Amino acid sequence: MTATNFSSPIFVKDADQAILQIASVADALGFLARWPEQRRGPIYNTAMRACHAAREDRLSVDGARNAFAGFARSVGIREADPVSIDPWIVTPKRGRMPL
């Protein structure tokens, strides 16, 4: 089996509005398995098939990532990638700067 980690994670909201990081085919399959049956449809099925195919080396991991991202976008749970703030960037304090 080849590597199954996504080139970059996908961030989604779960039912509790918590933001989850989906970083691999296994993460995507786990998320999809918990998706409510009454909300599953053709795009869900495509994402599920793509993730299974990637796990079995019949599809690239990028293909599975794209299918999962499309599913997440279509059901409105895709979140923008978080912006990281470098630790050296700080807000200046008011007043004089120490020398």
Side-chain angles (χ1 to χ4, degrees), residues 1-97:
M1 181 190 285
T2 59
T4 59
N5 289 335
F6 292 161
S7 56
S8 61
I10 297 169
F11 295 90
V12 296
K13 278 189 185 175
D14 69 4
D16 298 325
Q17 299 301 306
I19 296 176
L20 304 176
Q21 175 179 294
I22 308 298
S24 67
V25 171
D27 291 348
L29 282 169
F31 185 89
L32 291 168
R34 293 185 303 276
W35 190 251
E37 286 188 35
Q38 67 274 15
R39 294 191 63 200
R40 296 177 184 183
I43 298 174
Y44 166 89
N45 292 331
T46 298
M48 184 64 93
R49 282 194 312 272
C51 289
H52 280 294
R55 188 178 64 182
E56 297 165 1
D57 290 331
R58 295 183 292 114
L59 180 70
S60 70
V61 173
D62 282 341
R65 182 189 184 283
N66 290 340
F68 182 81
F71 159 76
R73 196 171 30 258
S74 74
V75 296
I77 60 169
R78 176 98 191 249
E79 289 293 307
D81 295 347
V83 176
S84 64
I85 299 176
D86 291 326
W88 57 268
I89 299 176
V90 294
T91 305
K93 295 181 179 180
R94 295 183 191 258
R96 293 181 46 196
M97 297 285 290

